[in-house]
Amino acid sequence: MNKILFVTSEAYPFIKTGGLGDVAGSLPRALQKCKQDIRLLLPGYRSVMAQIKNPQVIAEAFHYGHKIRIIETPLPSSRVKTWLVDCPAAFDRPGNPYVDTTGNNWSDNAFRFALFCLVAVDIALNRCNLGWQPDVVHCNDWQTALIPALLNGYSERPASVFTIHNMAYQGLFPKQQFFELGLPSSLWHPDGVEFYDQFSFIKGGLAYADYINTVSPTYAREIQLPEFGYGLDGLLRHRSDRLSGILNGIDNDTWNPGSDLHISYRYNKQTIKNKSLNKTELQTALKLPIDANLPMIGMISRMVEQKGFDTLIGALPELVKWPVQLVILGNGQSYYEKTLTEWAQHYPHKISVRIGYDETLSHRIEAAADLFLMPSLFEPCGLNQLYSLRYGALPVVRDVGGLADSIVDTNETSMANHTATGFFITDNQPATLVNALQTALQLYQNPEVWRQLQVNAMSQDFSWLKSAEEYVKLYQLARESIAGGDET
Ligand code: ADP
């Protein structure tokens, strides 16, 4: 059994802005089932603290002139102990974990997450009298990436694993902030956290973690290429012997069309015809024409360039000529929010766009849609295509990252051997998306073929167990690497 400190800036259901929240809410539970002794460390954001009934302070820390309380509470509906880092100066504010209510990054993010990392280091080095020292600190994304760097050099330290959920977010700050935060000057060099004279959080993880992984095997290869590496591909190639890809799993209880409380008509492979009842209900709710036979294309996403919205917008002039409905839920960059909203206003019978974050609606779209769109430019893993498989909404995806690792393109062979689960687009040209959708919609006209594709999709198993077992092996490797004095 390993003692694991799982450090993350978000975890569902406490707080979630994207895939990291889902992963951090479900992987620790799966790890616990694999007999790992796990603690989840999470910032005590205002919205999280509001959910805690009886805050139980188990330890205190002190950084940057602030007294910090560590509060223990279970991760809801689980036995995973969560430790919240309660420091009002850093986390008691409105907005989301990273941006204020107007969508701008909090100007003191370097301070907020450096403080979070310092508390994690205190726990990792057993300085908080918790009577529990981890064997492995599992860090996730840039907000936690200083931890491996800060631990490096201590002889009694735990091993560190750093998981990249998205290379596009690196935590880059002006150089002076590094020195203002009083971080060890030994880290300030090109092989440390300096990145072209800027302070890079993510480099702390990439350069110092004992083992690095990302959330799909294909993305692990892609980030070693200049196109996907954001200037860090050289470092990643250098560390390739310590870099692997482990595909994310999904929470099969939360995302189960057979028991989903967010949807009105539950279904499984045998009762798949109930799915169309969810479609007509959603059409009614969104004021779209009610027709169970009209193909519905769904999309749920942060509205950022990564997700392929330019490809979609380029394809819209063609799509609106077809007998289809497009239902989009998301928020993000105002250009995409505005452009898509305008399209919906011009074509209210064809396009429905909801700007905002809505967990319930996201489940209802999965249950209603026939096809699900993810034309991403890159995708570390992607979760929505996995949810879509489960809900029989066939994914139309760009063949990159975790999308390539989880979807099988529909062609004669894959249809014949019942492995086909979705449709690939091989570049980001709008015409390519149009072609893929045309192929899909032709097959939709043949109910028998379509039903088989849905059954193929719904038969896939992306539960966490297999991936959690791979993480346990990674923890073991990380422990062995420091036990042998094999410091990086
Ligand atoms: P990313 O982490 O890049 O945002 P993923 O596909 O890995 O992409 O995970 C996105 C998660 O966030 C999914 O659970 C998805 O359903 C959810 N999500 C994204 N935008 C919204 C939204 N506007 N409303 C509800 N859920 C959303």
Side-chain angles (χ1 to χ4, degrees):
M1 181 171 73
N2 298 301
K3 284 187 275 180
I4 311 295
L5 182 65
F6 190 99
V7 193
T8 176
S9 58
E10 48 186 281
Y12 179 83
F14 278 132
I15 178 106
K16 162 177 160 184
T17 71
L20 171 62
D22 281 337
V23 173
S26 47
L27 174 57
R29 286 194 260 168
L31 288 167
Q32 202 171 46
K33 287 195 186 118
C34 295
K35 310 248 176 312
Q36 304 299 291
D37 180 15
I38 189 144
R39 303 288 181 280
L40 190 66
L41 191 71
L42 181 73
Y45 305 110
R46 177 183 290 182
S47 63
V48 174
M49 296 303 291
Q51 297 169 50
I52 311 304
K53 301 273 167 354
N54 301 307
Q56 201 197 331
V57 181
I58 55 163
E60 285 181 349
F62 197 80
H63 290 287
Y64 301 125
H66 300 290
K67 194 163 104 175
I68 299 152
R69 301 186 310 163
I70 298 171
I71 287 169
E72 182 172 298
T73 185
L75 181 71
S77 327
S78 83
R79 286 180 298 108
V80 174
K81 285 183 183 164
T82 305
W83 289 346
L84 300 174
V85 175
D86 178 30
C87 177
F91 302 122
D92 183 14
R93 50 182 84 179
N96 91 5
Y98 320 117
V99 300
D100 62 21
T101 44
T102 58
N104 293 312
N105 285 334
W106 293 109
S107 60
D108 58 351
N109 270 346
F111 150 73
R112 298 169 71 229
F113 291 107
L115 176 137
F116 182 52
C117 289
L118 287 166
V119 174
V121 168
D122 287 342
I123 296 170
L125 296 177
N126 204 12
R127 289 173 177 163
C128 291
N129 296 323
L130 284 161
W132 185 93
Q133 183 174 19
D135 303 308
V136 179
V137 185
H138 184 166
C139 309
N140 294 277
D141 272 354
W142 73 261
Q143 296 85 357
T144 65
L146 290 184
I147 299 165
L150 293 168
L151 284 175
N152 200 263
Y154 284 96
S155 53
E156 295 301 307
R157 70 173 177 89
S160 59
V161 168
F162 180 65
T163 301
I164 305 161
H165 295 264
N166 195 332
M167 276 298 290
Y169 302 95
Q170 306 193 348
L172 272 183
F173 299 94
K175 171 183 183 175
Q176 104 210 39
Q177 295 203 15
F178 174 84
F179 292 99
E180 280 166 10
L181 288 167
L183 295 166
S185 55
S186 58
L187 297 178
W188 188 261
H189 54 89
D191 294 328
V193 300
E194 182 195 345
F195 184 65
Y196 298 103
D197 216 32
Q198 284 193 292
F199 168 27
S200 163
F201 267 60
I202 200 170
K203 278 193 75 188
L206 302 185
Y208 294 98
D210 296 310
Y211 272 81
I212 308 165
N213 83 303
T214 184
V215 288
S216 69
T218 295
Y219 194 60
R221 286 191 296 277
E222 288 170 343
I223 55 178
Q224 298 179 54
L225 304 170
E227 300 93 283
F228 297 94
Y230 294 90
L232 292 167
D233 44 292
L235 173 56
L236 288 162
R237 285 195 299 277
H238 175 67
R239 299 224 57 204
S240 59
D241 61 328
R242 296 292 180 100
L243 170 63
S244 63
I246 302 178
L247 197 70
N248 283 336
I250 61 171
D251 181 337
N252 270 346
D253 298 328
T254 305
W255 295 94
N256 179 357
S259 59
D260 190 335
L261 296 178
H262 293 294
I263 64 177
S264 301
Y265 304 97
R266 291 179 259 289
Y267 60 96
N268 56 32
K269 270 187 289 186
Q270 283 73 42
T271 55
I272 201 164
K273 60 180 184 326
N274 281 355
K275 184 171 165 64
S276 71
L277 301 174
N278 290 301
K279 187 191 322 187
T280 48
E281 191 187 56
L282 190 64
Q283 287 168 331
T284 312
L286 299 179
K287 301 195 172 53
L288 287 166
I290 296 161
D291 182 347
N293 294 320
L294 260 187
M296 181 184 278
I297 305 170
M299 186 165 180
I300 304 161
S301 179
R302 292 183 295 117
M303 289 183 171
V304 294
E305 194 190 356
Q306 176 200 337
K307 300 295 181 178
F309 282 99
D310 294 307
T311 310
L312 170 66
I313 291 166
L316 285 178
E318 190 58 29
L319 299 194
V320 292
K321 295 183 200 154
W322 302 352
V324 292
Q325 293 176 341
L326 183 60
V327 174
I328 303 175
L329 165 65
N331 57 4
Q333 285 173 18
S334 54
Y335 164 73
Y336 296 125
E337 292 187 354
K338 191 164 157 285
T339 307
L340 291 167
T341 304
E342 282 167 7
W343 273 94
Q345 281 160 354
H346 279 105
Y347 296 94
H349 297 300
K350 297 260 159 115
I351 306 178
S352 167
V353 172
R354 283 292 157 111
I355 302 300
Y357 189 91
D358 188 335
E359 196 73 32
T360 297
L361 183 57
S362 73
H363 286 244
R364 293 176 69 190
I365 293 174
E366 292 286 6
D370 301 294
L371 287 163
F372 194 91
L373 261 193
M374 289 180 81
S376 309
L377 309 189
F378 66 92
E379 196 60 76
C381 176
L383 291 170
N384 269 312
Q385 84 280 14
L386 305 179
Y387 304 148
S388 301
L389 290 173
R390 212 117 204 265
Y391 283 69
L394 301 184
V396 180
V397 302
R398 177 74 206 276
D399 59 343
V400 290
L403 299 172
D405 290 340
S406 56
I407 303 301
V408 176
D409 191 27
T410 299
N411 54 39
E412 270 178 31
T413 316
S414 62
M415 279 165 71
N417 63 19
H418 295 175
T419 54
T421 55
F423 301 89
F424 275 175
I425 56 169
T426 49
D427 62 40
N428 285 91
Q429 297 303 316
T432 312
L433 175 60
V434 167
N435 283 341
L437 285 173
Q438 244 159 3
T439 307
L441 293 172
Q442 265 160 19
L443 295 173
Y444 180 82
Q445 297 312 321
N446 184 334
E448 225 171 278
V449 170
W450 195 258
R451 182 65 47 90
Q452 182 60 51
L453 290 174
Q454 286 181 308
V455 169
N456 297 349
M458 293 177 79
S459 305
Q460 302 302 307
D461 179 8
F462 285 102
S463 57
W464 265 111
L465 189 63
K466 192 168 147 279
S467 305
E469 282 168 355
E470 286 188 53
Y471 274 103
V472 174
K473 284 189 202 140
L474 192 63
Y475 297 152
Q476 212 50 45
L477 283 174
R479 286 187 71 175
E480 284 162 17
S481 76
I482 60 165
D486 168 24
E487 295 274 325
T488 52

